[in-house]
Amino acid sequence: MRDASLALLSVPFSLVGGVIGLYLRGINFSVSAAVGFVTLFGVAVMAGLLFISEIKRRRIELGVSLEEAVVKGARAQVRPMLLLILVALLGMIPAATATGIGSDIQRPLATVIVGGLLSTLLLTLLVLPSLYYITARKTAPTTE
């Protein structure tokens, strides 16, 4: 239950960036933006699951301590998450900056995804390891 809750924390991480992106660009919430949020939440949850599964794999298969699993798991997930999110960002930037015909439909969707992916990347890599360590430390047996 703890791990699922932590993985789902990626949703508010992405929500923050999507809302800030809409606000900074002066775009109102619309159906197109809502579709962007749905897409964004899927990518954010996947990023959280990849991170948590890597930490759990290190703890179970390699038998390392909690602190070492969190630190090395976070380091191991930087490259895959960075590539996953950067590829999606690079694909959406042209749609977010478009001004031609039909751009009024795609601009909110792309803006939500770009802003949300940026915040997901930063918060998942910085905050999620800390939250995992804090919550797992309460239930982990001490070796001292």
Side-chain angles (χ1 to χ4, degrees), residues 92-112:
M92 295 307 284
I93 288 176
T97 59
T99 58
I101 297 173
S103 65
D104 53 340
I105 300 298
Q106 68 186 8
R107 196 177 317 120
L109 180 135
T111 299
V112 164

Side-chain angles (χ1 to χ4, degrees), residues 10-32:
S10 298
V11 170
F13 294 165
S14 64
L15 182 68
V16 168
V19 170
I20 290 174
L22 287 175
Y23 177 75
L24 291 177
R25 302 243 5 238
I27 299 173
N28 293 327
F29 185 77
S30 63
V31 172
S32 180

Side-chain angles (χ1 to χ4, degrees), residues 52-65 69:
I52 290 172
S53 65
E54 176 63 21
I55 292 175
K56 288 188 68 79
R57 184 190 70 80
R58 287 179 180 274
R59 290 185 73 192
I60 293 169
E61 290 179 12
L62 304 177
V64 298
S65 68

